[in-house]
């Protein structure tokens, strides 16, 4: 059925418009003034709510199959829809088996499409799956590309789960010719171990207190990111592949990325909501909800990350949604003083991940609004540029005729307090709990169908995987 959504603030690639977005089935067919619509077309007037393209998260850990007790497709996509996301790109680790070959990819597809009650669908958003690039699987990379993954993910350091190996330089050099042939991006967790190992040994020798955030921060020095990014840029120069740096945390690496871009290398980089909102100076000791890798750094570092987003040195924002059951965070119970031998609040033992699908847009808009950024900036960081990385810019990522009708109604002026009721992922824990954030998602539409509205989910799951094709080159 043809219908329209009207807003006084439709955020398009050409700026904000007072317009009606005409939708026919899955697609946007026109954007025009309300007065130009035929009288028989139903119109939902959103008033002063802004209409944005659906958000795209290129860094989500869903963990199904294998660790669905951490998260799963049903809960992750519910949280995503509530947070304004209409597309997720799932990471190839923390699930079992890891997505490092086509057989594992097919198991993940089966779980996503028919893992609900009685074998029903469970996706409230659309989805893609990154492939994994690990030691020794270089001959699986081109088959994964031909099977439809949008790119590959590697760790240069132990990722926290044994089944997904960190890749060393020698194995990376075996893999890169295969990746270059696909034309797909390689996403890299860019920390190297020598600096971290040295810092850890020094802290252990000094008897450092692992309940102190300062101890954890010292254990992941900036140098580990710098050394990794220097190596990756050198490899990018040599092998001519598309390089993407995930969750860049150290602002000291920004000049390296800017210089590589100026040189003409194909390199992009992302920031995360927690690195753009939180600062080390404000994290209490024992507050392991804030643990992530790389770590949250200083206030001055945060401001440099924001400047890099404004300049384009950083290209996009991704959540790195990395949930886990509550006990894995090693939190100290309320009103409890840790006793000798108790392990509560130790940053070295807590899981390093932050769940943020339900809150990411509000965390980012709270900070962006303070810095006088616009809704067009927000759209570029959370929709348009992520769609390019994932290879789906022809279908989604902006409000234009011919694109999927993936949309969100967003109130940029409203505020709310983070409570468990607004967190729709499996384990309702958050470092933002109790904070007042700016910006509220009222509704989310996936290909023209409303899947979230005012904290409820009116639709049956209708998400699907984007079908991608890949042709290999002889380079």
């Amino acid at each position: 059925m043809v219908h329209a959504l009207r807003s006084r603030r439709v955020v398009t690639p050409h700026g904000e418009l007072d317009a009606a977005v005409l939708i026919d089935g899955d697609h946007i067919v026109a954007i025009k003034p309300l007065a130009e619509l035929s009288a028989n077309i139903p119109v939902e007037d959103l008033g002063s709510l802004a209409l944005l393209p659906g958000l795209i998260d290129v860094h989500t850990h869903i963990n199904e199959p294998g660790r669905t007790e951490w998260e799963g497709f049903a809960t992750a996509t519910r949280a995503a829809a509530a947070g304004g996301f209409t597309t997720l790109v799932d990471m190839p680790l923390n699930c079992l088996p890891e997505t490092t070959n086509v057989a594992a990819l097919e198991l993940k597809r089966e779980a996503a499409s028919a893992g609900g009650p009685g074998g029903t669908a469970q996706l409230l958003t659309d989805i893609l799956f990154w492939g994994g690039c690990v030691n020794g699987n270089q001959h699986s990379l081109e088959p994964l590309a031909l099977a439809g993954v949008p790119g590959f993910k590697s760790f240069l350091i132990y990722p926290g789960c044994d089944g997904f190996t960190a890749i060393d330089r020698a194995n990376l050099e075996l893999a890169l010719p295969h990746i270059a042939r696909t034309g797909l991006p390689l996403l890299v967790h860019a920390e190297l171990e020598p600096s971290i190992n040295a810092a850890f040994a020094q802290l252990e020798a000094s008897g450092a207190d692992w309940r102190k955030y300062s101890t954890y921060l010292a254990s992941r020095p900036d140098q580990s990111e710098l050394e990794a990014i220097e190596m990756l840029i050198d490899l990018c120069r040599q092998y001519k592949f598309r390089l993407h740096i995930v969750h860049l945390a150290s602002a000291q690496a920004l000049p390296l990325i800017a210089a590589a871009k100026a040189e003409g290398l194909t390199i992009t980089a992302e920031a995360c909501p927690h690195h753009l909102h939180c600062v080390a100076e404000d994290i209490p000791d024992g507050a392991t909800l804030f643990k992530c890798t790389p770590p949250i750094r200083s206030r001055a570092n945060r401001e440099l990350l924001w400047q890099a987003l404004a300049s384009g040195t950083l290209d996009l924002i991704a959540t790195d949604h990395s949930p886990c059951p509550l006990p894995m965070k090693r939190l100290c119970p309320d009103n409890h003083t840790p006793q000798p031998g108790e392990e509560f609040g130790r940053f070295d033992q807590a899981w390093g991940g932050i769940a943020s699908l339900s809150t990411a847009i509000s965390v980012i808009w709270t900070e962006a609004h303070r810095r006088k950024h616009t809704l067009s900036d927000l759209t570029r960081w959370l929709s348009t540029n992520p769609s390019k990385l994932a290879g789906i810019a022809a279908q989604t990522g902006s409000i234009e005729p011919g694109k999927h009708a993936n949309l969100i109604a967003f109130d940029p002026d409203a505020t709310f307090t983070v409570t468990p009721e607004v967190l729709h992922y499996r384990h309702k824990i958050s470092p933002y709990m109790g904070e007042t954030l700016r910006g509220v998602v009222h509704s989310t539409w996936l290909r023209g169908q409303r899947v979230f509205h005012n904290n409820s989910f009116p639709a049956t799951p209708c998400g699907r995987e984007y079908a991608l094709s890949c042709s290999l080159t002889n380079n």
Side-chain angles (χ1 to χ4, degrees):
M1 176 182 173
V2 178
H3 64 285
L5 298 173
R6 185 269 176 127
S7 167
R8 294 176 179 84
R9 302 184 70 181
V10 179
V11 181
T12 77
H14 310 291
E16 294 185 18
L17 306 175
D18 183 342
V21 177
L22 192 63
I23 299 167
D24 187 357
D26 289 354
H27 290 83
I28 298 167
V29 294
I31 303 165
K32 57 179 62 179
L34 181 64
E36 294 183 11
L37 290 187
S38 300
N40 61 342
I41 293 177
V43 177
E44 180 177 352
D45 195 333
L46 302 174
S48 60
L49 295 178
L51 191 64
L52 278 60
L55 311 182
I56 299 164
D57 187 30
V58 295
H59 196 148
T60 314
H61 294 274
I62 295 178
N63 307 335
E64 187 177 1
R67 290 192 174 96
T68 312
E69 71 275 12
W70 293 21
E71 188 67 284
F73 290 108
T75 50
T77 59
R78 281 171 64 89
F85 290 94
T86 51
T87 308
L88 303 179
V89 194
D90 180 40
M91 281 294 170
L93 71 159
N94 300 356
C95 54
L96 293 170
E98 295 78 9
T99 318
T100 55
N101 54 52
V102 173
L105 173 65
E106 294 303 329
L107 287 174
K108 182 157 280 196
R109 284 172 164 159
E110 181 181 354
S113 63
T120 59
Q122 56 178 344
L123 297 176
L124 275 175
T125 69
D126 287 341
I127 199 160
L128 299 96
F129 306 103
W130 296 118
C133 175
V134 297
N135 280 350
N137 85 322
Q138 64 268 21
H139 297 298
S140 294
L141 300 176
E142 286 157 293
L144 279 166
L146 292 171
V149 303
F152 308 95
K153 169 71 179 294
S154 285
F155 273 74
L156 302 180
I157 192 169
Y158 176 64
C161 292
D162 293 340
F164 195 93
T165 58
I167 193 165
D168 58 27
R169 179 165 184 153
N171 274 276
L172 194 53
E173 293 204 58
L174 292 175
L176 287 175
H178 298 275
I179 291 173
R181 284 193 70 208
T182 71
L184 300 176
L186 174 66
L187 289 70
V188 186
H189 180 124
E191 291 180 289
L192 285 178
E193 288 188 336
S195 297
I196 292 175
N197 290 344
F200 186 88
Q202 185 176 9
L203 290 164
E204 287 286 277
S206 67
D209 184 353
W210 285 100
R211 293 184 180 85
K212 292 184 175 295
Y213 186 75
S214 59
T215 300
Y216 175 61
L217 182 58
S219 76
R220 311 289 288 220
D222 295 79
Q223 192 64 25
S224 66
E225 290 189 71
L226 290 170
E227 292 169 351
I229 291 170
E230 285 175 341
M231 182 189 79
L232 290 165
I233 289 172
D234 181 58
L235 291 171
C236 186
R237 187 180 293 118
Q238 180 178 354
Y239 289 97
K240 311 299 183 188
F241 67 98
R242 291 172 59 194
L243 171 63
H244 180 75
I245 306 297
V246 301
H247 51 45
L248 186 133
S250 174
Q252 293 182 26
L254 293 170
L256 296 174
I257 294 172
K261 289 187 172 191
E263 183 183 336
L265 299 181
T266 309
I267 179 171
T268 53
E270 73 191 30
C272 291
H274 38 275
H275 293 132
L276 293 166
H277 179 66
C278 307
V279 294
E281 293 91 333
D282 293 342
I283 297 176
D285 293 340
T288 51
L289 285 176
F290 290 88
K291 183 182 176 181
C292 57
T293 57
I296 294 162
R297 302 192 186 277
S298 70
R299 180 173 281 104
N301 185 89
R302 179 186 67 180
E303 296 313 306
L304 291 171
L305 294 180
W306 274 105
Q307 291 174 29
L309 275 170
S311 70
T313 300
L314 291 175
D315 299 87
L316 60 92
I317 299 171
T319 71
D320 191 12
H321 177 79
S322 185
C324 68
L326 179 59
M328 293 178 64
K329 273 299 188 180
R330 301 290 194 268
L331 290 173
C332 183
D334 291 342
N335 304 314
H336 178 82
T337 302
Q339 301 300 310
E342 288 189 317
E343 303 299 330
F344 298 124
R346 288 188 56 136
F347 281 94
D348 58 331
Q349 297 181 355
W351 176 255
I354 292 174
S356 57
L357 281 172
S358 294
T359 54
I361 188 174
S362 305
V363 170
I364 293 302
W365 182 240
T366 297
E367 297 293 337
H369 183 266
R370 290 172 183 162
R371 294 166 176 81
K372 311 300 182 185
H373 290 295
T374 66
L375 292 177
S376 292
D377 295 329
L378 190 71
T379 293
R380 182 173 68 256
W381 298 327
L382 286 168
S383 299
T384 306
N385 286 352
S387 76
K388 296 174 183 176
L389 180 69
I392 53 174
Q395 295 93 353
T396 189
S398 58
I399 299 179
E400 296 179 88
K403 299 286 183 79
H404 283 151
N406 296 341
L407 303 162
I408 60 173
F410 182 67
D411 188 339
D413 300 316
T415 61
F416 72 102
T417 300
V418 179
T419 64
E421 291 73 29
V422 303
L423 304 176
H424 296 280
Y425 43 80
R426 186 175 297 276
H427 301 284
K428 301 186 189 314
I429 55 176
S430 172
Y432 312 118
M433 198 75 74
E435 275 200 61
T436 297
L437 299 176
R438 187 182 190 94
V440 173
V441 175
H442 280 251
S443 290
T444 303
W445 291 265
L446 178 64
R447 286 178 275 106
Q449 182 173 350
R450 198 192 305 260
V451 293
F452 174 78
H453 181 65
N454 290 341
N455 218 36
S456 65
F457 303 89
T460 56
C462 60
R464 62 194 186 201
E465 182 184 356
Y466 273 97
L468 301 183
S469 61
C470 175
S471 58
L472 304 179
T473 70
N474 292 319
N475 294 339

